[in-house]
Amino acid sequence: MNASEQTTVTETKTTRSVCPYCGVGCGILIHSQGDRVVKVTGDREHPVNEGRLCTKGATCGIPLHEEGRLTDFCQRSDRSASWERTKADTALNAVAAQFTAIRAQHGPDALSMYLSGQLSTEAQYVANKLCKGFWGTNNVDSNSRLCMASAATGYKQSFGADAPEASYADIDQADTFFIIGSNMADCHPILFQRVLRRKKESGAKIIVVDPRRTATADKADLYLQIAPGTDLSLLNGLLKALICRDKIDDRFVAECTEGLEGTIQAVASYTPALVSEQTGLNIDEQNQLVDLLAASKGWMTFWTMGLNQSTRGTAHTSAICNLHLLTGQIGKPGAGPFSLTGQPNAMGGREMGYLAAGLPGQRAVISAEDRTLCEEIWGVEPGTIQPKPGAAAIELFERMRAGEVKAVWVIGTNPVASMPRSGRVIEALQQAECVVVQDAFSPTETSEYADFLLPGALWAETDGTMVNSERRVTRMQQAISAPGDAMADWQIICEVAKRMGYEGFDFESAEEVFNEIQLFANLETGYDLRGMSFSRLKEKSLMWPCPDSHSDGVEKRYGCGTQMRFPTASGRAQFIPTPYIPDPRDAALGTLTLNTGRYPHQWHTLTKTGRVSQLNQLNEKALLEVNPFDAEQLQIESGDRVTVSNSDGEFRMQVDVTDRVSPGQCYAPIHWNQLHGDGSSVNVATPSEADPKSLQPALKSAGVSLAVMEVAHAAVSAASDYDDGYAMGQQSLSFFRQKRSLLAIVRPISRISTLKS
């Protein structure tokens, strides 16, 4: 090899992109040599993270080159048979033929798609276009139904449209942070670092409400260990207390809202004594909460799965919005209700209408005007889009199980592992005539039940856009080639559409798809990407609404102060009565209440992070947290292996005795599933009951009983790692010094001294 060849081989290229994990939307720099990513670092110029990355983000390049990448198109004639690699054309033609035949025989609603918040906006768009505009079915839903549907629905009923009105910039001006049902330190660590920086610089206060004493709670000025599922009682009691203290912003309420009187009547009975009885929080704790919020000049509320994954999830969001509307803590610096997004592009998917009732541009299938606009842009016959919402996730798989939905195309998600009562999801897939799984990895728990495997490219191997929690659009730029025959998700969808005989899918690039998406600007809700372009997004991220090329986006979405106007019929935000009604299931819980959640160094169903040895050393196994009181009653110790069961199913897990959970409760992470050992899937025992408005299942809480399977000879060590080593959602510096081989993984975190706070 000569010198010039050597230079070519070792030359390192740097490409801007966005972290493929949580919805914070951190900017990253991909450092690649040829078709291999050699390192990922934080983008210091990106306004979200300024170079910081969590452990998952810092190691996100590793799974690209690990074993298990799906690089070939595969099919089989029988699900008991081995997979056969085939040419792309052969597989794509076969999939198109299957869908065409099923649609012709059984009608449009026999077809369905189940999508992911990890897909690019462009892939989410063309999938929705194919289903609703060309197949003629609204049976397209996504895993955002499991995490963000209640927040989206609550925003719509309170403000008239989905998505936060505030932005991350408000963190830098707030003096109080009210974090409820969210473990920000573990699940959104970079954003929580920003909260801690504000606390250090200004003395801002942190309030945390959570049944489990989390790493977030450890940093709180006030921690309230509430009884599971009773948050709505606390929120209503808080509203009543603020009213009693005359903390109403009379001018804002009069000029920008309506419905307060009915809401005042609805919370009249929520005395401190009643709230104490329902939540387990004493009156002094409640008063401290009221004191902090009443004295705040600007406060933000953050929430996520702890409130969303509930049969009262939509009401939780509206109750939070009620608090901000009452006090005028909205539309001004340092204030606002802010739902945190769990996936890197769940926000983009919601905007594309990839839930069963949506259409692109924050539109709805029930609106004749919205259907007409979409039909005109897509060039399909009037009346093609059905006016009735399709089947949401739980109903979709139940219809499949009943034989009504004959085919499903699963893209970028793993429902066998992530859906509640997952045994019924397996039965549904077994019943279906055609199951197509499109993923970047194989096997997954879901691919076992597929007829076709389609290899999707990952984030570094394709171009496209992602939208984070604050409405910020960041471009993913291709850094390396996809392996084997893998293709961008949007390309695979378009190829099948063309093979089914549909026009309008002849896109040559992700940029052309994005240009079509811009036609769906919705001036009523503020959703507007018209000022963006791929060339602008190559240089920097932009927020919507972005009406023209002179704008970088709007941080405060609905205006400011008493000039705020909302996309409701009256132009005013709505106070929504949110009575607390105990879930009937709560009264029939088992020996313990199971709370489910995430670990800081793993993500979702381990499809990606489970391939990173450095992360597996930090969170190597699932542990069931049990309070010492319950452990003594049940005669179990740390390290024992137990069966966790209820009427829906059972799983097995090792015990960690800790006071992070209260008596009567236990906690299990969601990550480990069937591929990691028979009986390890938590979601076999989570309930499928859902919020009646958002249709989001109540995954966070289930009643369970424990039975000892195996007694340990020695206590597990991972528990002490957790209790002694966690800080801000990642291991403290002292812990990393004990594991110097891992330190290189977190070097991309800039200003690492902030970890000491």
Side-chain angles (χ1 to χ4, degrees), residues 654-720:
Q654 198 171 19
V655 170
D656 171 18
V657 177
T658 172
D659 63 2
R660 286 191 173 275
V661 293
S662 296
Q665 301 172 33
C666 59
Y667 173 87
I670 63 171
H671 311 292
W672 286 266
N673 288 281
Q674 288 91 329
L675 287 180
H676 307 95
D678 182 46
S680 61
S681 178
V682 169
N683 280 326
V684 299
T686 50
S688 58
E689 284 86 354
D691 179 284
K693 292 184 178 180
S694 70
L695 306 180
Q696 179 167 345
L699 282 162
K700 282 295 288 184
S701 177
V704 296
S705 298
L706 306 188
V708 178
M709 287 179 57
E710 180 183 330
V711 176
H713 296 292
V716 294
S717 61
S720 61

Side-chain angles (χ1 to χ4, degrees), residues 544-755:
W544 68 259
C546 183
D548 56 58
S549 60
H550 301 292
S551 171
D552 286 348
V554 178
E555 292 181 345
K556 304 299 287 186
R557 180 178 174 192
Y558 299 123
C560 298
T562 56
Q563 302 302 311
M564 292 188 77
R565 289 296 176 265
F566 297 87
T568 61
S570 64
R572 296 168 177 263
Q574 305 294 300
F575 280 97
I576 306 291
T578 57
Y580 168 65
I581 303 172
D583 192 320
R585 192 179 179 100
D586 292 348
L589 294 178
T591 305
L592 298 176
T593 299
L594 171 68
N595 180 18
T596 64
R598 307 182 187 194
Y599 280 168
H601 309 292
Q602 298 290 1
W603 201 64
H604 286 195
T605 64
L606 298 181
T607 306
K608 291 194 281 284
T609 57
R611 288 173 163 79
V612 181
S613 61
Q614 295 92 332
L615 299 181
N616 290 334
Q617 291 180 55
L618 295 172
N619 289 142
E620 63 179 351
K621 67 178 74 173
L623 296 175
L624 181 76
E625 297 181 6
V626 179
N627 183 269
F629 173 82
D630 296 309
E632 183 178 357
Q633 297 299 307
L634 296 167
Q635 296 185 323
I636 57 177
E637 298 180 355
S638 289
D640 290 353
R641 192 167 175 79
V642 297
T643 298
V644 185
S645 63
N646 58 21
S647 59
D648 292 324
E650 67 177 44
F651 62 91
R652 295 182 280 280
M653 196 167 285
Q654 198 171 19
V655 170
D656 171 18
V657 177
T658 172
D659 63 2
R660 286 191 173 275
V661 293
S662 296
Q665 301 172 33
C666 59
Y667 173 87
I670 63 171
H671 311 292
W672 286 266
N673 288 281
Q674 288 91 329
L675 287 180
H676 307 95
D678 182 46
S680 61
S681 178
V682 169
N683 280 326
V684 299
T686 50
S688 58
E689 284 86 354
D691 179 284
K693 292 184 178 180
S694 70
L695 306 180
Q696 179 167 345
L699 282 162
K700 282 295 288 184
S701 177
V704 296
S705 298
L706 306 188
V708 178
M709 287 179 57
E710 180 183 330
V711 176
H713 296 292
V716 294
S717 61
S720 61
D721 281 350
Y722 183 90
D723 289 331
D724 298 335
Y726 273 37
M728 299 185 346
Q730 55 194 54
Q731 304 292 359
S732 67
L733 284 177
S734 62
F735 182 65
F736 276 121
R737 291 188 184 110
Q738 296 170 24
K739 292 181 167 64
R740 291 186 181 276
S741 62
L742 298 178
L743 192 55
I745 298 303
V746 295
R747 287 293 186 195
I749 304 177
S750 67
R751 303 176 190 173
I752 201 164
S753 61
T754 61
L755 293 175

Side-chain angles (χ1 to χ4, degrees), residues 113-418:
M113 277 190 178
Y114 188 64
L115 307 175
S116 171
Q118 299 168 57
L119 302 177
S120 70
T121 309
E122 293 73 22
Q124 294 162 340
Y125 170 75
V126 294
N128 207 33
K129 177 179 180 178
L130 175 58
C131 271
K132 291 171 181 170
F134 288 82
W135 286 354
T137 179
N138 293 333
N139 286 342
V140 54
D141 212 58
S142 79
N143 56 15
S144 286
R145 181 71 63 184
L146 309 182
C147 59
M148 298 306 302
S150 288
T153 306
Y155 275 139
K156 289 175 186 176
Q157 71 176 15
S158 293
F159 299 155
D162 183 17
E165 63 81 34
S167 69
Y168 297 165
D170 288 299
I171 295 174
D172 305 327
Q173 301 178 75
D175 62 16
T176 303
F177 301 98
F178 182 29
I179 304 171
I180 179 168
S182 172
N183 184 6
M184 284 182 75
D186 283 357
C187 300
H188 298 89
I190 299 304
L191 207 59
F192 192 59
Q193 286 185 27
R194 195 161 174 173
V195 169
L196 291 180
R197 183 174 66 185
R198 176 63 177 171
K199 173 182 172 69
K200 181 178 181 180
E201 293 175 351
S202 71
K205 303 299 182 182
I206 298 175
I207 304 164
V208 175
V209 179
D210 201 303
R212 176 173 173 257
R213 183 168 57 81
T214 63
T216 310
D218 290 342
K219 293 293 183 179
D221 296 279
L222 174 64
Y223 169 49
L224 305 177
Q225 195 161 22
I226 195 171
T230 64
D231 306 85
L232 198 54
S233 175
L234 176 65
L235 293 170
N236 285 336
L238 178 56
L239 189 75
K240 176 182 171 64
L242 291 170
I243 292 169
C244 290
R245 294 198 186 187
D246 196 27
K247 291 299 178 180
I248 303 174
D249 187 327
D250 294 310
R251 184 179 175 189
F252 178 84
V253 168
E255 297 188 17
C256 300
T257 75
E258 57 190 12
L260 177 59
E261 289 304 316
T263 302
I264 289 176
Q265 295 175 15
V267 300
S269 63
Y270 287 85
T271 63
L274 176 64
V275 172
S276 180
E277 177 185 343
Q278 293 176 335
T279 66
L281 301 176
N282 62 46
I283 293 176
D284 181 59
E285 289 174 316
Q286 294 177 55
N287 285 335
Q288 291 181 63
L289 171 61
V290 178
D291 289 344
L292 282 172
L293 293 184
S296 298
K297 295 180 179 179
W299 53 275
M300 300 182 73
T301 303
F302 292 111
W303 75 98
T304 184
M305 303 313 143
L307 297 191
N308 293 341
Q309 290 179 336
S310 164
T311 58
R312 301 172 287 271
T314 298
H316 286 145
T317 293
S318 284
I320 289 169
C321 293
N322 287 343
L323 291 169
H324 284 267
L325 293 174
L326 179 85
T327 56
Q329 289 289 334
I330 186 172
K332 68 178 187 179
F338 202 113
S339 66
L340 298 172
T341 310
Q343 296 184 91
N345 202 29
M347 184 68 74
R350 285 148 62 184
E351 294 156 7
M352 291 302 94
Y354 80 157
L355 295 175
L359 289 170
Q362 297 195 320
R363 292 179 171 83
V365 298
I366 62 172
S367 165
E369 182 180 354
D370 289 348
R371 295 195 306 274
T372 297
L373 174 70
C374 292
E375 288 166 347
E376 290 175 351
I377 293 175
W378 289 338
V380 298
E381 291 293 324
T384 299
I385 302 175
Q386 295 187 33
K388 181 180 178 181
I394 297 296
E395 184 185 0
L396 176 64
F397 287 99
E398 285 301 309
R399 286 190 190 179
M400 198 182 307
R401 187 168 171 267
E404 298 172 19
V405 173
K406 305 290 185 180
V408 62
W409 189 351
V410 179
I411 308 180
T413 188
N414 192 10
V416 168
S418 58

